[in-house]
Amino acid sequence: MLADISFMIESFEKKAIELQQEAIRNTQIIEELAGLEKYIAETYVSRVFYEIIQNADDCGSTRFHAFSYKDAVILFNNGTPFSDTDLESLCRSAFSAKQRGSNIGYRGIGFKSVAGVCTSVSLLSGELGVYFSRQKTQEVLSQHSRVPLLRVPHLGSLNEDATSFAKAYMVANHMKTCFILHEASTDSLLIDLKGLNRTSIAFLRNLKEIDISINNYSKKVMAELIQGTERKIGAINQKDLIIKTDVNVDDKASTAEHRVRIWNFKKIGVSTDVIDDKPVRLKKNDAYAQAFLPMLTTTGLGARINGDFSTDPSRSRINPDKYTRDTLKDLIELIFMLLDRLCDENLQDIEKELLETLIPYKNAAMFDISPSYISDQIQAKISDGDRIILAGFLLCPSWLKKTDYKKLAKAGRYKPLSFDQVAVGDYESFFFSLGATKLGMLKALELLAKTKLTSAGIVSFWRHILDDIRALGQIQAIDSDLCHNANLFICSDGTVRSGNEISQLKDADVDIIFMASLFDLAGRSTDAADLCVHFGLPVGKVPVTLLETIQSSLRKSNSSIHHKMLMLIDKKSQTETAIAKDPLKSRSQESTIKLKASDTELLTPQHRREPSWRSIEKVASKILTIMGYIVDDVSKKNVGYDYIAYDDDGNQHCIEVKKLEALGEDFLLTDNEIYVSKDIGENYWILLIVQPSPESTPTHYAIIKNFYRTFESRMTRRCIKYQMFCSEYDADFERLVFE
């Protein structure tokens, strides 16, 4: 053992003397190398720690520690100690025993970056003990011209105090190698340190702990494999890491913990964050390319991509040369393989999650090559064979929910293709370029003739075409038979029907609320009415109350269809019975409800702490109680009515209270109230209370039972705020008397 140590020391001494003698013989070259070292130090600014960390990883280190000690910064790792060959590689430029593809660093120049942050360097590794000093090198070379810092090693110790401290730390913490950066520029290193994050450790082959402390700033990054997450999916290896980051600034500590998923395929690594056990598609500006350590080049995908890419001299950006393109072939092959399994319907959920992160962002620069580089390469591979045919997949449009989209896909015998996290523009751009089928207007109508969407899906379709002028033009050019057979109308019985079907069924009427929403979308234009007729709805089935809202636009038109609509409006006007001047003449006044005089306090402004409508609701509660109902107040639950009234048999009736200022006055209805009244049916009642002014007491009340079915054709939507009003209703008002 002692003989081995003696041999190693002798070998190091021999190598150091050999490098010194070589420098003495080549003083001009040494001077040139000083300029090169200065260029490297300036080029690698803010990446010093990255370079040191990658060197530690290459020598098999699992731990890397660094901290300030007096005017120095000391760096430790527990990897394989230096050999005489390693010492020579460290001293020379562009000379390295590392092999590209097997190691992160291979140029032999990265460590030279420390020359920009310190005045001298000591190296302790195994039995090796040398230091680097420009002043000492000038003495050895007997010249005062420029010399490089990291070219000529000198045996021994430069600072006994720092050396003794470092050796003791190495023994106590089982470290194998130590660099001491003497008179270090901690400000520069702090900038570098703050750039280290969880992505800095994710793709390293060996390092699991990075612990750095400089002055009042410390950062510790640790990566731990989550047991049970390692799995092999064909040629893909998958694992999850927990990466914990502890930061302390001026004794203020913070901790962050992230779960990261990594997939490895051949020479490519893919990484993304995991939240709630699901991998997350990264934002475009968060997905960086990595040559084992992060760079400034974005991938253009929804994930970080690691590979043995060529980089610029600073190793901060990818160089899109032939070597980089060759490395990206593995990424393209991975995506192609996932698409192949997708077409064969053999894609597992965990593979689909991976594919979701690899879909390119639309128009994003990919690895600084071109926006469409990935899709172009995949398209070329598809063209070269017959394994992948994406035409059988139907793309999901942005305006349709997935439940209805799957109905359309099934109706057309297409395979559905959707992703939870991919924006529609990115998804369509990628898959449409590869041959997937897009749901255009013609295709949508073909499929709508074969299936029936949900009510929400039907409204979404109408919203899409009424919001898009281009869609309106496309529809006008489509064959009328196809339009008439599309199931696009929600009827009053809740059934979705086509225009043809409604025209053939005498009792089929379109739902007034559905139609009102279409007219709302179209505003004051005739688009909604025109499209309804174009899709086969008979003119006589279009609610006249809605046609009245666009009457001025209809009168400006020369269209024969619009003329028919105007005739319907005129006919309604001629046949309507005018509302009686005194609504009480034809209504029962047999029953009068008497309230206590004390109840008027609810309506007196100085005593009232609630809105006036709430006071009227309380009056309504008293009326219902006097009528023999047990009343439950649900007004604060936003369920579409104010009270539940229970009769003697236990039947419940949902009561919505409306305040009027005059008998027969129109009253406002919210969409929620309308839909709820439709669903509840005969047990949804409206209780009307007439209060001429805020200062007066209520004078009359009326109850309208089975409200929706009785008055659905009398509700009109007005253009004030496009809200629903009930007008021309029949209600038997009865007197309220306060005694």
Side-chain angles (χ1 to χ4, degrees), residues 63-120:
R63 293 180 296 134
F64 175 85
H65 293 182
F67 50 83
S68 306
Y69 179 76
K70 297 183 179 178
D71 68 344
V73 172
I74 309 180
L75 320 167
F76 300 93
N77 71 65
N78 66 341
T80 305
F82 266 61
S83 66
D84 57 346
T85 303
D86 295 328
L87 176 61
E88 182 176 10
S89 297
L90 183 71
C91 294
R92 297 193 184 281
S93 297
F95 177 90
S96 177
K98 298 177 184 179
Q99 297 297 312
R100 183 165 190 172
S102 301
N103 302 93
I104 302 174
Y106 58 88
R107 290 191 176 100
I109 60 175
F111 189 74
K112 305 295 187 296
S113 60
V114 302
V117 295
C118 64
T119 60
S120 51

Side-chain angles (χ1 to χ4, degrees), residues 628-630 645-653 683 685:
Y629 294 100
I630 297 174
Y646 298 90
D647 60 23
D648 293 338
D649 296 325
N651 299 316
Q652 65 179 39
H653 309 283
N683 286 321
W685 297 356

Side-chain angles (χ1 to χ4, degrees), residues 303-314:
R304 308 175 194 98
I305 305 297
N306 180 64
D308 189 21
F309 301 115
S310 296
T311 67
D312 65 1
S314 70

Side-chain angles (χ1 to χ4, degrees), residues 29-35 37 115 132-134 137 141 146-152:
I29 293 176
I30 291 298
E31 196 169 335
E32 292 174 359
L33 289 175
E37 185 180 76
F132 298 88
S133 164
R134 291 189 181 93
T137 299
L141 300 183
R146 289 190 312 169
V147 295
L149 175 61
L150 298 165
R151 178 62 176 81
V152 180

Side-chain angles (χ1 to χ4, degrees), residues 579 664 666-667 711 714-716 718 725-729:
I579 299 175
D666 296 355
F667 56 87
F711 294 102
R714 302 193 193 181
M715 288 182 279
T716 59
R718 298 180 185 170
F725 285 83
C726 185
S727 59
E728 302 177 21
Y729 51 87

Side-chain angles (χ1 to χ4, degrees), residues 15-16 36 75 120 125 229 235 307 359 450 467 494 505 616 658:
K15 180 59 67 177
L36 174 63
L75 320 167
S120 51
S125 184
T229 62
I359 295 172
K450 299 176 181 179
D467 283 349
L505 295 174
I616 289 297
K658 296 293 180 182

Side-chain angles (χ1 to χ4, degrees), residues 512 515-516 519 542-551 568-569 572 576 712-718 724-725 727-728:
I512 183 67
M515 291 296 291
F519 276 69
V542 181
V544 180
T545 53
L546 296 176
L547 292 177
E548 287 176 331
T549 65
I550 58 170
Q551 190 171 171
L568 291 174
I569 296 171
K572 175 178 179 290
E576 282 180 338
E712 61 178 317
S713 63
R714 302 193 193 181
M715 288 182 279
T716 59
R717 193 169 287 257
R718 298 180 185 170
M724 293 296 290
F725 285 83
S727 59
E728 302 177 21

Side-chain angles (χ1 to χ4, degrees), residues 399-639:
W399 48 268
L400 194 59
K401 291 186 177 179
K402 288 184 179 177
T403 303
D404 288 305
Y405 154 68
K406 288 178 180 178
K407 284 187 176 184
L408 289 180
K410 183 178 181 181
R413 297 184 179 179
Y414 287 101
K415 298 174 186 176
L417 180 61
S418 61
F419 297 88
D420 294 330
Q421 301 182 60
V422 185
V424 173
D426 305 327
Y427 154 87
E428 283 189 346
S429 174
F430 180 60
F431 284 102
F432 187 62
S433 70
L434 300 181
T437 301
K438 197 170 182 177
L439 188 67
M441 190 56 60
L442 181 62
K443 180 65 65 178
L445 291 174
E446 288 177 358
L447 299 179
L448 284 168
K450 299 176 181 179
T451 190
K452 295 181 179 182
L453 303 185
T454 63
S455 296
I458 295 297
V459 173
S460 294
F461 176 84
W462 280 92
R463 180 177 291 111
H464 169 61
I465 59 177
L466 286 168
D467 283 349
D468 190 344
I469 294 175
R470 292 171 300 176
L472 289 170
Q474 292 172 13
I475 290 170
Q476 292 171 354
I478 294 174
D479 180 71
S480 60
D481 287 342
L482 186 59
C483 293
H484 292 185
N485 288 322
N487 294 299
L488 286 173
F489 297 100
I490 303 172
C491 293
S492 55
D493 62 358
T495 304
V496 175
R497 294 185 173 94
S498 67
N500 266 349
E501 191 176 0
I502 292 173
S503 64
Q504 294 168 11
L505 295 174
K506 182 180 179 181
D507 297 330
D509 290 311
V510 285
D511 182 85
I512 183 67
I513 308 303
F514 162 69
M515 291 296 291
S517 66
L518 303 190
F519 276 69
D520 275 359
L521 291 170
R524 296 183 181 181
S525 75
T526 63
D527 289 344
D530 292 342
L531 281 173
C532 287
V533 175
H534 189 77
F535 284 126
L537 185 70
V539 176
K541 295 283 187 176
V542 181
V544 180
T545 53
L546 296 176
L547 292 177
E548 287 176 331
T549 65
I550 58 170
Q551 190 171 171
S552 60
S553 296
L554 293 174
R555 295 196 183 281
K556 296 175 184 177
S557 171
N558 295 322
S559 166
S560 59
I561 298 296
H562 292 171
H563 181 66
K564 289 181 181 179
M565 293 177 181
L566 287 170
M567 289 176 64
L568 291 174
I569 296 171
D570 293 340
K571 183 178 179 181
K572 175 178 179 290
S573 178
Q574 293 169 7
T575 57
E576 282 180 338
T577 303
I579 299 175
K581 292 182 180 179
D582 182 0
L584 293 178
K585 287 182 179 179
S586 60
R587 298 185 176 118
S588 169
Q589 299 184 47
E590 294 177 358
S591 176
T592 298
I593 284 185
K594 297 181 180 180
L595 301 174
K596 296 178 182 179
S598 59
D599 291 331
T600 60
E601 292 184 0
L602 294 172
L603 305 165
T604 306
Q606 59 265 33
H607 294 289
R608 190 168 63 220
R609 296 180 180 178
E610 296 176 315
S612 59
W613 54 263
R614 182 61 182 147
S615 300
I616 289 297
E617 286 179 0
K618 289 186 175 181
V619 172
S621 176
K622 290 186 175 294
I623 293 171
L624 292 168
T625 302
I626 292 171
M627 294 175 69
Y629 294 100
I630 297 174
V631 182
D632 182 13
D633 185 352
V634 293
S635 58
K636 295 182 179 180
K637 296 182 179 180
N638 193 31
V639 291

